[in-house]
């Protein structure tokens, strides 16, 4: 092989490699045949209910009605972080699914939405993040343990009953011990 042929072969192989890489990188973008747009309000405060809208359209910009959208929120509780499903909505005839969302904490919220494209059944994902302002969280738990139907009076009555039974058993044992030591039981042989 001469030098020109080697260069032509190397160039052809390089072009094929670059083309394969381009197709590999573009495949996820080409696979998504649904155009999705998420709309969230510019400002959110703790406790205020807002609408999060997801607009789903086919590649030709026609709406996708009847598509279920599942909303997930990134949360952490007790040192464990993950995603919690916060709601589901079905797109209307205009291709829009709305979720009424009420933020419980201030700070950055990461929202992920999943939907199934109607043609091939592939799950597609979109996400958004937004900031929520506000002073305090909505929920505050009281200190201690709250068991429905159990109050301090019931606990005290139970303890008083248990201690009374223990006191009566102790008195009975003392009475048995005194009676056993004073006289012998008739009808029993006492041989030594």
């Amino acid at each position: 092989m001469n030098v020109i042929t080697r260069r032509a072969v190397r160039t052809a192989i390089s072009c094929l490699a670059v083309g394969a890489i381009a197709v590999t990188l573009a495949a996820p973008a080409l696979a998504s045949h649904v155009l999705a747009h998420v709309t969230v309000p510019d400002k959110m405060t703790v406790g205020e209910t807002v609408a999060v809208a997801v607009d789903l359209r086919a590649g030709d910009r026609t709406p996708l009605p009847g598509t279920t959208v599942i909303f997930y929120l990134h949360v952490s509780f007790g040192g464990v972080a993950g995603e919690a499903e916060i709601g589901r909505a079905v797109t209307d005839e205009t291709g829009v699914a709305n979720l009424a969302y009420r933020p419980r904490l201030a700070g950055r919220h990461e929202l992920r939405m999943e939907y199934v494209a109607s043609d091939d059944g592939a799950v597609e994902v979109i996400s958004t993040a937004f900031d929520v302002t506000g002073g305090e969280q909505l929920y505050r738990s009281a200190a201690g343990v709250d068991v429905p139907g159990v109050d301090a009076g019931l606990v005290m009555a139970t303890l008083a009953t248990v201690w009374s039974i223990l006191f009566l058993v102790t008195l009975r044992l003392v009475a048995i011990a005194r009676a056993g030591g004073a006289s012998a039981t008739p009808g029993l042989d006492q041989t030594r």
Side-chain angles (χ1 to χ4, degrees):
M1 248 201 267
N2 63 19
V3 174
I4 295 175
T5 307
R6 286 185 190 158
R7 284 186 184 163
V9 169
R10 285 184 187 157
T11 304
I13 291 173
S14 297
C15 288
L16 288 175
V18 168
I21 291 172
V23 168
T24 303
L25 293 176
L30 296 174
S32 180
H33 57 281
V34 175
L35 303 172
H37 179 71
V38 180
T39 305
V40 294
D42 293 335
K43 294 188 177 191
M44 290 189 205
T45 58
V46 173
E48 173 189 4
T49 302
V50 295
V52 176
V54 178
D55 185 8
L56 300 179
R57 300 199 175 266
D60 61 355
R61 304 260 185 213
T62 59
L64 292 175
T67 303
T68 301
V69 180
I70 306 169
F71 295 82
Y72 296 94
L73 181 68
H74 182 76
V75 294
S76 63
F77 180 76
V80 178
E83 289 185 334
E85 181 180 326
I86 60 170
R88 292 174 182 241
V90 178
T91 56
D92 59 13
E93 62 276 349
T94 64
V96 177
N98 287 303
L99 175 75
Y101 176 61
R102 186 175 179 206
R104 307 289 199 249
L105 297 169
R108 187 98 174 136
H109 291 237
E110 297 173 17
L111 196 61
R112 182 174 65 89
M113 287 76 52
E114 284 184 356
Y115 56 92
V116 175
S118 58
D119 294 343
D120 59 0
V123 175
E124 297 189 25
V125 177
I126 54 174
S127 61
T128 187
F130 47 87
D131 291 317
V132 176
T133 60
E136 298 181 15
Q137 66 183 23
L138 292 183
Y139 296 118
R140 293 219 180 259
S141 59
V145 177
D146 184 25
V147 179
V150 177
D151 59 354
L154 181 61
V155 172
M156 294 305 291
T158 303
L159 286 174
T161 302
V162 169
W163 281 105
S164 298
I165 291 170
L166 287 174
F167 183 69
L168 292 172
V169 168
T170 303
L171 287 178
R172 189 69 172 154
L173 287 174
V174 168
I176 290 171
R178 285 190 182 164
S183 64
T185 307
L188 291 177
D189 278 342
Q190 293 183 359
T191 55
R192 289 190 191 214

